Amino acid sequence: MKRSLSLSSYGVGWSANRRIAIVAITLAVLLALAAAVAFFTGRDSGHSDSGSPSAAGSAAPSEKAPKPGTGAGSVPKPPKIAEPVAFAKAAAQMLWTYDTRDTTRGQQLAGMRAWMTKETKYADWSSVNGQVPDPTLWSRMVDNDQHAKATVTEGHFPSAFKAALAEDPSAITKAYIYVVTVNGKQEIAWKKGGGGAEERAVTLAVQCRPSRDCTLAAIAPNVTQ
């Protein structure tokens, strides 16, 4: 039984300071800290396909950003997209796609890091790098030629986020961080014909400042529809 790189199944919670900052700016009109905590706190119960259970607990959330020059292997470069939902859909597909046959763990992290906002005040790198299995598990995945591709079916702003924007449209104009939920499907395969597929969903915080391409700010610890 093989383990999969389930990038949406075992997210690490946003750090308290960054979570409060993002919530205060992006969801200010939810009015109360309790509502914000309820919106963004906890763990996604995750999914596990019958042939490839997720690697919960294997991530290294405190891992530093990869050094420049590591390369990105098969991880795609961030697209030049200025629309939040379209960018979030591309980011989700990137998170759900990997290939250990031609990409090292360091390259996977470097490729993901390239999608992040450069504004450190809003960038929660730990919520992103925490999705990648630890070196030991990644090595086992390499031994089995494990790889995955993804299909994104849709992306949308969660209802609470839309309500927040409707209540106070100017609240977003400080950080321009949007909350987007993306749904799709991930297909995982490994050598000797092994494989499996499962539905995926993830809630992302993406930054889309006017006249700039969007970037990834964080991955929410649980999915909000």
Side-chain angles (χ1 to χ4, degrees):
M1 186 173 290
K2 314 296 189 302
R3 290 191 173 189
S4 68
L5 173 55
S6 301
L7 295 183
S8 68
S9 296
Y10 56 99
V12 176
W14 296 351
S15 63
N17 290 338
R18 288 199 177 104
R19 182 175 65 237
I20 292 171
I22 292 173
V23 170
I25 295 167
T26 314
L27 303 174
V29 294
L30 291 182
L31 300 178
L33 180 60
V37 172
F39 191 73
F40 281 112
T41 303
R43 292 289 188 274
D44 181 11
S45 59
H47 305 281
S48 178
D49 65 76
S50 58
S52 187
S54 65
S58 298
S62 61
E63 189 162 3
K64 296 180 180 179
K67 295 180 179 180
T70 304
S74 62
V75 182
K77 294 181 179 179
K80 296 184 179 300
I81 296 176
E83 196 282 316
V85 173
F87 179 84
K89 290 167 68 176
Q93 186 165 31
M94 178 274 294
L95 291 168
W96 297 333
T97 303
Y98 61 90
D99 194 336
T100 65
R101 297 170 299 180
D102 60 14
T103 304
T104 67
R105 184 174 180 274
Q107 289 174 324
Q108 185 74 26
L109 288 168
M112 294 164 66
R113 185 69 180 84
W115 289 65
M116 298 293 294
T117 176
K118 300 302 188 293
E119 297 183 39
T120 56
K121 180 178 181 181
Y122 307 116
D124 189 357
W125 172 236
S126 65
S127 71
V128 178
N129 73 31
Q131 310 305 303
V132 179
D134 63 35
T136 299
L137 180 51
W138 185 272
S139 178
R140 292 175 183 171
M141 293 163 61
V142 171
D143 292 340
N144 287 290
D145 293 339
Q146 189 164 309
H147 53 285
K149 62 181 181 179
T151 301
V152 170
T153 55
E154 68 89 34
H156 64 275
F157 295 124
S159 57
F161 179 72
K162 291 191 292 185
L165 283 181
E167 188 73 19
D168 184 5
S170 67
I172 203 165
T173 59
K174 182 176 181 179
Y176 285 96
I177 292 177
Y178 300 80
V179 177
V180 184
T181 293
V182 180
N183 291 284
K185 182 179 181 179
Q186 184 188 49
E187 297 180 31
I188 304 168
W190 49 86
K191 61 185 180 182
K192 297 183 179 180
E198 58 184 335
E199 300 299 316
R200 291 293 190 200
V202 65
T203 297
L204 306 173
V206 299
Q207 186 178 48
C208 300
R209 289 194 179 278
S211 302
R212 298 186 193 176
D213 295 325
C214 296
T215 54
L216 180 62
I219 300 175
N222 58 328
V223 176
T224 303
Q225 298 291 346

